[in-house]
Amino acid sequence: MNLSSGPRRDEEVIESCALFRGLDADQRSVMTSMAVRQRFKQGAQIFMQEQPCPGIYIVDHGLVRVFRLAPNGQQHVLHLCGPNQTFAEVAAIGGFALPACAVTTQPTGCVMIPTDRLQQELAENHDLCRQLLTGMAFWVRHFVQLLEDIALRDAMGRVTRLLCDTPCNPSGLLRLPGAKKDLANHLNLTSETFSRVLRRLCEQGILEFNSNRSIRVIDAAGLERLARE
């Protein structure tokens, strides 16, 4: 998932982000003027749930694990955010406390739109409000699809959908977008079930594991068929 070869300009990161796909050039310039560049080491705590929201984070490179912490200490992974993806957007736009924690799983660089400046701009810039609705609609559709997958799909369907959504290079090699245990938790599966599905896909000739533990997609059409089913 870490497909970026190096830090990009702030405007490039903002333009690549699905949340801001509905913004015209003028409003993207407004967002860029507010942008703050932040870099984090692997394992860094970006924020904790129930804290005031610092802003909208857009990942330039790296990977961020966003999870909900239950009172008993149990964690549930809500997102694994890689390049061009956002987190903390709803809390920043809505102006409420953070509903989750965020920790980096790789060295990570982000562009951050501070909440205070964003809220001031939203109060004065009606065009920005209207255009942001388009990006929020895509965001909501994504999470409705995720809920449908968890509620209606079996383990094979959830894992194959994840694999289909993970970019491959021209030779079919893909890198899982996070640790297996985090991906399994995100899909509401156990680690054992997640690994068992991967083994079944290898036995069916859909995937193969290489010696360096990377995954190659052998039968892309078969993988897509299983994801649809």
Side-chain angles (χ1 to χ4, degrees):
M1 201 160 179
N2 187 358
L3 301 178
S4 177
S5 59
R8 296 168 289 174
R9 292 179 295 125
D10 292 351
E11 54 266 36
E12 291 177 314
V13 178
I14 290 171
E15 187 174 3
S16 70
C17 169
L19 180 64
F20 300 135
R21 68 174 56 178
L23 301 186
D24 61 26
D26 290 340
Q27 300 306 328
R28 284 199 301 271
S29 294
V30 169
M31 301 300 284
T32 301
S33 71
M34 295 187 278
V36 177
R37 179 70 63 157
Q38 296 192 343
R39 291 179 174 83
F40 305 95
K41 295 180 180 179
Q42 182 173 340
Q45 182 89 53
I46 299 177
F47 53 68
M48 292 288 291
Q49 70 188 51
E50 306 306 333
Q51 290 180 342
C53 180
I56 299 175
Y57 293 82
I58 313 158
V59 180
D60 175 24
H61 62 275
L63 191 67
V64 177
R65 180 174 176 266
V66 181
F67 60 95
R68 179 76 178 174
L69 189 63
N72 64 0
Q74 186 175 356
Q75 299 179 7
H76 181 71
V77 178
L78 302 176
H79 323 289
L80 289 166
C81 297
N84 310 330
Q85 296 181 322
T86 60
F87 57 100
E89 58 282 277
V90 174
I93 293 171
F96 49 79
L98 290 157
C101 307
V103 175
T104 61
T105 64
Q106 300 173 5
T108 298
C110 295
V111 170
M112 195 263 280
I113 310 297
T115 297
D116 54 353
R117 295 193 62 187
L118 176 65
Q119 288 291 332
Q120 181 180 355
E121 191 65 38
L122 290 174
E124 301 170 356
N125 186 339
H126 292 173
D127 282 342
L128 178 61
C129 294
R130 177 177 53 81
Q131 293 177 29
L132 266 179
L133 287 174
T134 300
M136 291 300 293
F138 282 106
W139 189 92
V140 170
R141 186 176 69 176
H142 166 74
F143 281 97
V144 168
Q145 183 181 68
L146 177 60
L147 288 173
E148 288 178 345
D149 284 352
I150 291 175
L152 302 177
R153 287 175 174 265
D154 61 11
M156 178 65 75
R158 296 178 214 175
V159 174
T160 52
R161 170 68 68 84
L162 171 73
L163 294 173
C164 283
D165 289 342
T166 302
C168 293
N169 71 12
S171 63
L173 285 174
L174 63 80
R175 179 184 298 173
L176 289 175
K180 287 182 182 179
K181 63 181 180 62
D182 291 336
L183 294 171
N185 185 270
H186 180 54
L187 298 174
N188 201 29
L189 301 171
T190 65
S191 297
E192 293 77 10
T193 299
F194 187 86
S195 296
R196 186 163 56 248
V197 170
L198 292 180
R199 287 196 298 270
R200 285 177 57 193
L201 291 171
C202 289
E203 292 166 359
Q204 294 173 23
I206 304 293
L207 306 177
E208 74 172 11
F209 288 108
N210 294 325
S211 57
N212 61 358
R213 296 188 179 181
S214 62
I215 296 174
R216 185 187 300 275
V217 178
I218 303 300
D219 183 0
L223 185 65
E224 292 176 2
R225 174 179 53 78
L226 289 171
R228 287 195 304 270
E229 292 175 354

